[in-house]
Amino acid sequence: MQQDEVAARVRQVIDAAGVSAREFARRIVIDPSKLSRSLNGTRRFTAAELARIADIGAVDVGWLLGPAAGAAAGADAVGRAASGAAATPSPGRSASASRPPVPSPEGGRPLQIVRETVRLIAERGFHAVRVADIAAACHTSTAAIHYHFPGRDELLEAAVRWCMDEDTRRRADATAGTRHTGDELRLLIELQTPRTEQQRRQWCVWLDLWAEAARSTTVGRLHVEYYRQWRGTVADVIRRGVEQGVFRPVDADGAALALTALIDGLASQVLATEPGGRDDGVAGTGAQAMHDALIAHVDACLTAPTAD
């Protein structure tokens, strides 16, 4: 009853925002599959998710959760969100933090620009990429770049968001329909193993983001959002695995944090190794060695022992 009502009100917020469910899932930092299950009534929204939905939609959490008596006030708030009325920033919140996020490009020239930006970031790093470089890579002018993206910051933010969306989409596609949580976790590990040029390029962008995150820039905040989303996904898989008896009764959040740290550490070693290098401990750490180490960690620390 209440769960269906909450889902219906969240749908109102999504409709008022004028974005797709996938884009809204990215804005509230959850996997699209989780949002879909919550809207369909097979999963409950967490308190943190509802707080982010209320913040993004400029509505009251009490309206999302509360009785019908609060619907009128909530409807007014949704209407204000739809008409673009600005919410009052909370104390200490900067104007840049409250500006609308730069959306990911759907196609055409903007998508080409963003893809070339990602390639250049992976090759040179954030601070070495100029708008002129991006224009040259796209065989166009800087004026054409600025037509789609007002400034360099907006362009870099769009590039990071595109990387986040692509990673989220690949995770959702790869794990769709997977019923065994052990298989689901192994699929997630495989997706994080930088075997292909595309995976290596995306990891180069993530590694560059770590330094940005320490400076609390807009791009750095996106990095924090991404990791919160990723750890939440892994923790959800582990939590379901514990319930199914596939995994040991561990703290899912702590296990997700430990696995993420191991993935990051090993990936940085793989990126420092020439593609196709030997996994012999001398030439460096290869992708297969990283994958084997992660699977060994899961088997040793998470997988429930089988009865003899």
Side-chain angles (χ1 to χ4, degrees):
M1 157 277 189
Q2 184 185 8
Q3 188 172 342
D4 292 339
E5 292 177 358
V6 170
R9 290 184 179 124
V10 172
R11 285 194 187 93
Q12 290 184 47
V13 174
I14 296 173
D15 290 342
V19 298
S20 66
R22 186 169 76 91
E23 167 65 14
F24 194 81
R26 184 193 58 72
R27 292 187 182 187
I28 63 172
V29 200
I30 67 171
D31 280 345
S33 59
K34 284 187 178 181
L35 177 61
S36 177
R37 294 203 304 272
S38 297
L39 292 175
N40 292 333
T42 57
R43 174 186 180 273
R44 290 183 180 275
F45 286 103
T46 67
E49 289 164 0
L50 289 172
R52 292 197 294 272
I53 291 168
D55 184 50
I56 293 295
V59 300
D60 188 85
V61 175
W63 173 71
L64 288 174
L65 287 171
D76 288 343
V78 171
R80 289 195 298 274
S83 63
T88 302
S90 59
R93 187 178 182 183
S94 66
S96 62
S98 61
R99 71 170 172 80
V102 176
S104 291
E106 294 297 330
R109 176 67 87 176
L111 182 57
Q112 180 202 15
I113 293 170
V114 164
R115 282 176 168 166
E116 288 300 322
T117 301
V118 170
R119 181 181 65 80
L120 291 172
I121 290 172
E123 291 177 359
R124 307 179 188 181
F126 275 102
H127 296 290
V129 176
R130 305 172 304 162
V131 173
D133 299 326
I134 298 165
C138 295
H139 305 289
T140 189
S141 65
T142 56
I145 302 294
H146 289 306
Y147 175 80
H148 296 287
F149 301 96
R152 180 179 179 276
D153 290 345
E154 287 82 5
L155 178 51
L156 294 182
E157 181 181 343
V160 174
R161 287 191 183 280
W162 181 77
C163 283
M164 291 171 61
D165 284 353
E166 282 294 289
D167 187 69
T168 301
R169 179 187 60 77
R170 282 193 294 271
R171 292 204 307 263
D173 290 347
T175 58
T178 306
R179 297 185 178 277
H180 191 279
T181 49
D183 293 340
E184 189 172 352
L185 187 59
R186 284 168 173 77
L187 282 171
L188 292 176
I189 287 174
E190 180 62 35
L191 288 174
Q192 296 300 312
T193 305
R195 299 183 189 275
T196 68
E197 182 59 34
Q198 180 185 24
Q199 287 174 316
R200 289 180 68 92
R201 182 181 300 140
Q202 185 146 335
W203 264 109
C204 284
V205 175
W206 296 143
L207 293 180
D208 216 41
L209 275 172
W210 291 353
E212 292 296 305
R215 300 184 179 93
S216 298
T217 61
T218 298
V219 172
R221 285 191 293 271
L222 289 176
H223 178 268
V224 173
E225 285 181 14
Y226 170 80
Y227 269 88
R228 182 164 56 234
Q229 181 193 73
W230 161 257
R231 287 196 299 267
T233 297
V234 175
D236 180 62
V237 173
I238 294 173
R239 196 171 289 113
R240 286 187 284 114
V242 171
E243 293 172 357
Q244 294 172 4
V246 174
F247 297 136
R248 303 170 189 268
V250 297
D251 171 53
D253 293 324
L257 179 63
L259 181 58
T260 299
L262 186 56
I263 289 172
D264 286 347
L266 287 169
S268 66
Q269 295 180 44
V270 174
L271 266 292
T273 304
E274 285 293 323
R278 295 173 299 161
D279 294 339
D280 59 8
V282 177
T285 301
Q288 188 58 46
M290 169 182 172
H291 182 269
D292 292 346
L294 292 171
I295 296 302
H297 169 80
V298 170
D299 289 342
C301 301
L302 294 178
T303 303
T306 57
D308 294 330

